[in-house]
Amino acid sequence: DAGVIQSPRHEVTEMGQEVTLRCKPISGHDYLFWYRQTMMRGLELLIYFNNNVPIDDSGMPEDRFSAKMPNASFSTLKIQPSEPRDSAVYFCASGFGYSPLHFGNGTRLTVT
Amino acid sequence: RKEVEQDPGPFNVPEGATVAFNCTYSNSASQSFFWYRQDCRKEPKLLMSVYSSGNEDGRFTAQLNRASQYISLLIRDSKLSDSATYLCVVNPGSARQLTFGSGTQLTVLP
């Protein structure tokens, strides 16, 4: 199994641009999570899905952030428009039932 | 009060030392507990689950005290390769999401 796959690994963009982060969970996992990590705030849960349905998006910072999971093997996190304070490492993680989560390598986003 | 609190460290210990980390959680209904390890610029990886009776995995021992709402991780005979940030993780209740502590940084010195 290839594990959770995220792309791109690095993204540098200018303020105001749209950013799309992608995630392929481990096959068979029914939960998918998007986390954001910064030095100041640590790991924060943004949103999670169960069987492709968003369950809790209370961690999404504001309307500029949106996430979708059109099928069991793909999810996107979109930021439009991006701002410098969105700079962080964004992790996608998947899990089955209540088993521990498996994280992807993360996308390091820099907004200038 | 944060849901999961950890001493951020850093802990700098010599090789072979024993080191312990503690973590407290605020939600008494929390169901499951884990320790994750995160290396610099890498993703978090599961180190071990924490069971009510306590559990051991080689040099690592995890303990849970539900009455006092804290979790501990003990590392014996520490190795240079143990240098990392250790994250305390709690499932706060019936929902599936995990809450991560801010991490404790460990550096094992030669």
Side-chain angles (χ1 to χ4, degrees):
Chain A
D1 197 322
V4 177
I5 299 172
Q6 289 187 247
S7 64
R9 290 295 306 276
H10 302 274
E11 177 80 35
V12 180
T13 191
E14 291 183 348
M15 183 173 62
Q17 296 298 307
E18 177 179 295
V19 175
T20 300
L21 312 181
R22 297 172 175 80
C23 175
K24 176 179 167 53
I26 292 173
S27 177
H29 282 186
D30 56 349
Y31 284 89
L32 183 140
F33 300 76
W34 283 101
Y35 283 89
R36 176 172 71 175
Q37 187 173 38
T38 60
M39 286 293 291
M40 290 295 293
R41 301 172 70 91
L43 263 169
E44 302 174 282
L45 176 65
L46 300 177
I47 184 171
Y48 79 96
F49 296 82
N50 177 219
N51 292 321
N52 315 337
V53 176
I55 301 301
D56 183 351
D57 65 355
S58 59
M60 296 286 261
E62 47 198 272
D63 292 347
R64 296 184 298 107
F65 285 69
S66 63
K68 294 181 180 179
M69 191 165 185
N71 58 61
S73 58
F74 184 65
S75 176
T76 59
L77 178 68
K78 187 174 292 187
I79 309 172
Q80 165 63 19
S82 57
E83 296 182 3
R85 60 192 168 122
D86 301 332
S87 297
V89 181
Y90 290 80
F91 287 106
C92 175
S94 70
F96 177 74
Y98 279 78
S99 64
L101 301 186
H102 296 261
F103 282 78
N105 291 333
T107 295
R108 187 171 296 275
L109 173 65
T110 303
V111 183
T112 60
Chain B
R1 183 186 173 188
K2 288 184 180 177
E3 288 187 61
V4 180
E5 294 205 59
Q6 291 183 252
D7 181 344
F11 284 65
N12 298 317
V13 303
E15 262 186 297
T18 295
V19 61
F21 308 136
N22 289 326
C23 164
T24 58
Y25 59 95
S26 60
N27 188 337
S28 59
S30 296
Q31 302 268 340
S32 48
F33 311 88
F34 308 93
W35 284 100
Y36 276 68
R37 169 195 168 127
Q38 186 172 24
D39 293 290
C40 188
R41 302 179 78 84
K42 299 282 191 179
E43 74 276 18
K45 291 184 178 179
L46 176 70
L47 178 65
M48 58 196 303
S49 302
V50 186
Y51 302 119
S52 297
S53 55
N55 48 299
E56 191 173 302
D57 183 0
R59 298 181 293 108
F60 298 84
T61 301
Q63 297 273 346
L64 168 64
N65 185 319
R66 284 191 183 272
S68 300
Q69 294 180 209
Y70 81 79
I71 308 151
S72 65
L73 177 68
L74 183 78
I75 305 175
R76 290 182 302 277
D77 188 24
S78 49
K79 313 289 185 192
L80 296 176
S81 57
D82 294 334
S83 298
T85 296
Y86 290 83
L87 300 163
C88 174
V89 186
V90 175
N91 179 302
S94 57
R96 177 61 174 92
Q97 65 267 37
L98 298 180
T99 301
F100 284 75
S102 54
T104 298
Q105 186 180 342
L106 171 67
T107 301
V108 180
L109 304 169

